[in-house]
Amino acid sequence: MSDENGTPATPRGPRPEPIRYFGTTWVEHDGGYPIRRLAVCVGSLAAAAVSCLVLRFAYQGLQIADVGKPVTLMVVVMFAVCSALAFGHTWGAFTERPDPDRQARLRGLLAIGFVGSLLAYFVRSLSEAPGEKARREEYETARAAHEKRASRRTGNPSRRRSP
């Protein structure tokens, strides 16, 4: 699997990790990267707006059901707090890898606070692909380590002279 010059068809060394909605276009910002970022930005904002509309209908349903002020207040506070926590958790996941066990434990909170997660995607996609900075740091570190290892292995070790 090499071309006519004898170079391997697949590049050696570490490969960039794909990011959801972006694949590996985040590495060189090619392959429609700006359009994808715009789509994620607009899509997450539109989804957050639709979600707020759905929550408004739920709030009106509580008013029609006449469940009382304490229950209505408790539901509103629950969604507000869960959205704030989901925003913080999602934002933190863009800078460092989340712990899978913690992620599983917070699944319910993140489901209730989905508006916060959508808003975190929106805000982050204004400047970069969500999670790009952390993936880029990991990729650059892996590439530097690979280059360092590869540069030490020059020549045939059996031809070296003994001291």
Side-chain angles (χ1 to χ4, degrees):
M1 310 317 163
S2 61
D3 64 7
E4 296 169 3
N5 298 333
T7 58
T10 58
R12 295 180 185 228
R15 294 189 178 144
E17 183 178 345
I19 296 176
R20 182 185 297 167
Y21 308 123
F22 294 92
T24 58
T25 61
W26 59 269
V27 177
E28 299 293 330
H29 291 187
D30 59 352
Y33 173 83
I35 294 170
R36 290 175 189 219
R37 236 183 71 202
L38 179 66
V40 166
C41 189
V42 170
S44 59
L45 185 61
V50 169
S51 300
C52 287
L53 185 65
V54 169
L55 289 176
R56 168 89 174 142
F57 290 146
Y59 177 77
Q60 287 177 342
L62 290 174
Q63 285 182 330
I64 291 171
D66 196 30
V67 294
K69 294 284 184 191
V71 173
T72 303
L73 181 65
M74 189 169 56
V75 169
V76 169
V77 168
M78 175 197 63
F79 273 107
V81 168
C82 288
S83 290
L85 291 172
F87 181 93
H89 178 76
T90 305
W91 190 266
F94 294 148
T95 57
E96 61 185 35
R97 294 200 182 262
D99 178 31
D101 294 332
R102 184 171 185 261
Q103 188 83 3
R105 286 187 305 238
L106 292 177
R107 187 168 292 142
L109 179 125
L110 294 173
I112 294 170
F114 60 97
V115 175
S117 292
L118 290 170
L119 290 176
Y121 260 88
F122 167 71
V123 173
R124 190 56 151 202
S125 64
L126 290 174
S127 62
E128 67 175 11
E132 178 182 344
K133 183 178 179 183
R135 299 299 189 288
R136 187 170 303 282
E137 288 174 358
E138 290 174 1
Y139 179 60
E140 293 298 327
T141 303
R143 280 187 57 185
H146 174 73
E147 291 296 324
K148 186 176 179 181
R149 284 191 310 268
S151 66
R152 285 187 290 180
R153 295 188 220 152
T154 57
N156 187 348
S158 65
R159 292 187 182 173
R160 290 191 185 143
R161 289 186 236 167
S162 298

